[in-house]
Amino acid sequence: MLSYRHGFHAGNHADVLKHLIEVLILDHFLRKETPFLYVDTHAGAGMYDLDDRFASRNAEYRSGISKIQHARRELPAELRLYLETIDQCCDQFGKDIPHCYPGSPLVALQMLRDKDKAHFFELHPADCDLLQKQAYRHAKITLADGLAGLKALLPPASRRAFVLIDPPYEDKRDYRTVVDTLHGALKRFATGVYAVWYPLLPKGEHRDLVEGLRQLSPEYYLKAELATHDERGDYGMYGSGMFVINPPWKLAQQLETALPVLDKLLSEEGQGGQTLEFRQP
């Protein structure tokens, strides 16, 4: 299905959670000299103009990144690092866009070193073309289903990899496909860091996904969820989560600091909440 365009949701609360965790994981990888591979299975368009017709329709960024920016002086180190990376990314890739927000592939490119490698998959032709124009000098970009393409990239020559998986879940089969894909990926490369984003929905589709992921790595995982309001009716995302297999050892400690701040800043009238669950050997 190709109707989903991330531009409608750029900079919202889900992006804040996803990109915060992405930045913290990448920061961990950069602490070692050994190069690594970064893979983005659903990369999107790369950079988003928050004043264009997509992002401005619902202006979801106002209840996401804008609130974080307004609280800049009060933020802990983890969230300051996230904001600094977003700012630097906009300076590098969004010079001609006064009000912009980057997607996960450009966030990664802002942090990666010359010796590191990046591979981006995007299935929407228009978004893939936009990403190609921005990032072709820095990454391999493929118009394809990233879940299907991941297998061929593992294991990487460097034996270090961070894979970000964030499908739109418009097709409900994606929940099962994500678990099956990671089952195969772990067989090929058991020590990679795999981060899966998912929406929190009233019908609870995400619960089977989380349980399936937990069973893949019962002794070494992290689950972080942020709800911005209570469940309303049968439809509509009320929050999102990230499930990380083989998380960096400091990630749980960092999120214990950052998640309560996000909860305070992004929750609507005291609703919502945040949860953090992790197991590490």
Side-chain angles (χ1 to χ4, degrees):
M1 298 176 68
L2 296 177
S3 61
Y4 179 86
R5 303 295 296 278
H6 187 70
F8 286 114
H9 313 288
N12 69 357
H13 59 83
D15 267 359
V16 171
L17 177 65
K18 176 172 63 178
H19 295 152
L20 167 65
I21 292 177
E22 177 188 14
V23 166
L24 294 177
I25 293 175
L26 286 169
D27 183 62
H28 167 81
F29 270 83
L30 293 170
R31 294 179 185 273
K32 291 186 178 181
E33 289 299 319
T34 310
F36 64 94
L37 170 68
Y38 172 83
V39 181
D40 202 317
T41 62
H42 298 77
M47 185 64 73
Y48 302 94
D49 183 347
L50 297 181
D51 293 325
D52 75 4
R53 63 187 180 91
F54 288 112
S56 63
R57 180 175 299 182
N58 295 322
E60 293 185 19
Y61 64 86
R62 292 177 183 168
S63 58
I65 183 60
S66 291
K67 289 188 175 182
I68 307 300
Q69 291 170 328
H70 291 155
R72 184 183 296 267
R73 295 182 180 180
E74 308 165 12
L75 298 176
E78 295 81 6
L79 284 166
R80 291 200 305 272
L81 175 61
Y82 157 68
L83 268 191
E84 289 165 5
T85 305
I86 296 301
D87 290 344
Q88 293 165 1
C89 194
C90 287
D91 289 343
Q92 179 178 352
F93 295 102
K95 297 176 182 178
D96 300 323
I97 308 175
H99 193 200
C100 63
Y101 186 84
S104 53
L106 298 190
V107 171
L109 290 184
Q110 176 58 39
M111 299 184 71
L112 265 57
R113 304 160 298 194
D114 290 341
K115 60 185 175 182
D116 302 317
K117 297 185 181 299
H119 196 128
F120 306 148
F121 293 93
E122 174 52 45
L123 194 54
H124 196 292
D127 282 353
C128 189
D129 183 58
L130 290 170
L131 182 63
Q132 183 78 30
K133 291 175 181 177
Q134 297 170 91
Y136 71 93
R137 293 187 181 92
H138 312 284
K140 173 69 174 177
I141 303 166
T142 305
L143 176 63
D145 177 0
L147 294 177
L150 177 60
K151 179 180 178 180
L153 301 181
L154 302 176
S158 64
R159 309 302 297 186
R160 301 182 73 211
F162 170 29
V163 179
L164 178 62
I165 299 174
D166 61 333
Y169 300 101
E170 284 186 312
D171 186 338
K172 300 308 178 186
R173 291 174 295 184
D174 282 350
Y175 292 99
R176 184 69 247 171
T177 303
V178 167
V179 175
D180 292 342
T181 298
L182 277 172
H183 182 258
L186 287 165
K187 283 187 173 182
R188 295 179 67 85
F189 185 50
T191 58
V193 176
Y194 303 91
V196 178
W197 176 88
Y198 55 92
L200 301 182
L201 300 169
K203 291 188 175 181
E205 294 97 329
H206 60 281
R207 296 190 182 100
D208 286 343
L209 169 68
V210 169
E211 184 55 33
L213 295 172
R214 189 186 285 113
Q215 290 177 13
L216 291 178
S217 183
E219 301 301 325
Y220 199 2
Y221 72 87
L222 179 148
K223 183 192 76 170
E225 294 183 348
L226 178 69
T228 58
H229 56 78
D230 295 338
E231 299 179 33
R232 299 168 184 167
D234 293 330
Y235 300 96
M237 184 174 73
Y238 64 89
S240 68
M242 288 284 281
F243 194 100
V244 185
I245 293 175
N246 300 328
W249 67 274
K250 285 184 64 177
L251 184 60
Q253 179 183 345
Q254 291 172 314
L255 291 177
E256 284 178 333
T257 300
L259 277 179
V261 178
L262 288 185
D263 183 24
K264 180 180 179 181
L265 291 173
L266 302 185
S267 63
E268 299 178 8
E269 300 178 351
Q271 298 179 359
Q274 51 87 24
T275 60
L276 180 64
E277 173 188 324
F278 59 93
R279 292 287 301 273
Q280 294 182 234

